Amino acid sequence: MARWKFDQAVAWLAAILLPLLSGSAAALPASNMPRGVTEISREVYGLHMLIFWICVAIGVVVFSAMLYSIIRHRRSRGYKAAQFHESTTVEILWTIAPFVILVAMAIPATNTLIAMDDTSDPDMTIKITGYQWKWHYDYLDHKIDFFSTLSTPRSQIFNQEAKGENYLVEVDNEVVVPIDKKIVLLMTSNDVIHSWWVPELAVKRDALPGFINQVWTRIDEPGVYRGQCTELCGRDHGFMPVVVRAVEQAEFDKWVQRQKSGGQGQQVSQAGL
């Protein structure tokens, strides 16, 4: 009977852990962080998965040993607790092993952090200012600026009609940028603390009143990438989406010309901001 229970416990443990260990990263649920569309985002994703699997391996070893000991050497089978004191060898091992693991994780993480902060030699600079509850974008190299606000209809928010595909992550004016260009983003705020976040770019930086934070990105693939404010900034914090549209250089040049010839951004700028 005892042997049957032990085998059953092992079978349950295997049923839980084997799919995790045998599955690839791509097979993980959609709740996992995205790989992104920049070199930095892919490095961040790789670090995330590396550390995740290290933690899984440690958890499997520790909990397997613990469960085996609990079940195999329980008192009902006649086992008695061992009585012993310190072991210098074991103490050295459990000190060195975590240290080596932490150093192995810290080296690639540090390299990625250094790369994320390298804002030198940009091709383009955009100043982003957080307001309650909208974003203001200022293209410093092109003399274009505009506000970007939530465009989800109030009727959807108050459940008076069906919610759209991009509910609460759609805006009236998108941030348009060229692909394959190093773009430095300068973050600040006009009132309270906000945080500009686009997961697929692996960019999340606080916008602080009176300070300028810097970050950069280089998008590899054309597309629309959505994010939002991630710092609780007041009543309508949940209504501060970010939408970035990455396009080819030629299309970006056309967009710039449209803005300079009287587009939405130019109109906002002339309104006295």
Side-chain angles (χ1 to χ4, degrees), residues 49-69:
M49 296 310 302
L50 170 66
I51 294 173
F52 171 78
W53 287 118
I54 289 175
C55 292
V56 169
I58 293 173
V60 169
V61 172
V62 171
F63 282 98
S64 296
M66 185 180 69
L67 289 174
Y68 175 81
S69 299

Side-chain angles (χ1 to χ4, degrees), residues 24-27 32-46 49 199-202:
S24 65
N32 194 21
M33 69 181 297
R35 292 178 183 273
V37 291
T38 68
E39 182 179 351
I40 290 293
S41 69
R42 288 188 285 274
E43 287 186 22
V44 171
Y45 179 83
M49 296 310 302
E200 289 175 305
L201 307 186

